[in-house]
Amino acid sequence: MSLPPSQFYSIKPETKAPTLKRLRSFSRLLDNFITIPGTGIGVGLDAIIGLFPAGGDFLVILYSAYIVLEAARLGASKATLGRMTVNIILDALIGVVPIVGDLFDFAWKANDHNVKLLEEHLKFPSQKKKADTWFVFVLLAVLLSLAIALVTFSVIVTRFIWGLFTG
């Protein structure tokens, strides 16, 4: 008799609420930690850390990938995890562009969107198939590869600009 396919699901139903609460807090820390007085615009660690070339983008992607990993542990579907990953990729690719990326971080709150996607999925969990371990592994590998590529790109651009000034 064959075993059913491995599911990336190790959190018991009674622990979903505390995990979701923790993810909401983490998302708030990353996207809306500080509110600019008089504007209602939130700034989080995502925008602040993203100001640092290379390493900042790397860390932001890793922090965002944690939300995807926890969503998978909560039983999110492939479609939900895929949309979450696309949000992170969009945030990272636009975020690497100087000034434009920093302004984009003020407007686009990828982590907040991802937690909302997870909450929507958890409202009707039986309607969608949960992602398996390999699918989650591939998504996380894609995000790690993107983080490494962005660091490499930032280093190359920085060396090029430095070369222009130093001859």
Side-chain angles (χ1 to χ4, degrees):
M1 173 165 45
S2 66
L3 296 172
S6 172
Q7 293 294 315
F8 197 83
Y9 184 73
S10 61
I11 294 181
K12 296 176 183 170
E14 63 270 8
T15 63
K16 284 185 180 184
T19 302
L20 192 55
K21 183 178 178 182
R22 187 178 71 245
L23 290 177
R24 282 187 199 121
S25 296
F26 189 61
S27 169
R28 183 177 177 276
L29 177 69
L30 291 174
D31 288 341
N32 295 310
F33 185 61
I34 302 167
T35 303
I36 300 171
T39 64
I41 297 173
V43 179
L45 290 180
D46 184 345
I48 295 168
I49 294 172
L51 292 172
F52 297 101
D57 296 324
F58 184 82
L59 286 175
V60 166
I61 291 172
L62 292 184
Y63 291 149
S64 297
Y66 170 74
I67 295 174
V68 173
L69 178 63
E70 285 295 319
R73 291 183 69 214
L74 287 172
S77 68
K78 288 182 179 182
T80 300
L81 294 174
R83 284 191 295 260
M84 292 171 79
T85 303
V86 168
N87 285 340
I88 296 168
I89 292 170
L90 179 66
D91 186 36
L93 290 178
I94 295 175
V96 77
V97 179
I99 300 171
V100 172
D102 299 323
L103 293 174
F104 186 72
D105 277 334
F106 287 108
W108 179 252
K109 310 293 185 185
N111 300 300
D112 186 45
H113 288 292
N114 286 346
V115 170
K116 287 178 183 173
L117 283 171
L118 176 60
E119 289 172 345
E120 283 299 313
H121 170 76
L122 292 175
K123 286 181 184 176
F124 307 103
S126 62
Q127 294 179 355
K128 299 172 186 152
K129 186 179 177 187
K130 298 171 189 163
D132 60 8
T133 305
W134 285 108
F135 183 77
V136 175
F137 178 77
V138 168
L139 289 181
L140 295 176
V142 165
L143 290 175
L144 180 61
S145 299
L146 175 64
I148 292 169
L150 290 178
V151 168
T152 305
F153 175 75
S154 296
V155 169
I156 291 169
V157 169
T158 303
R159 288 187 70 191
F160 175 74
I161 292 172
W162 184 257
L164 289 176
F165 288 115
T166 61

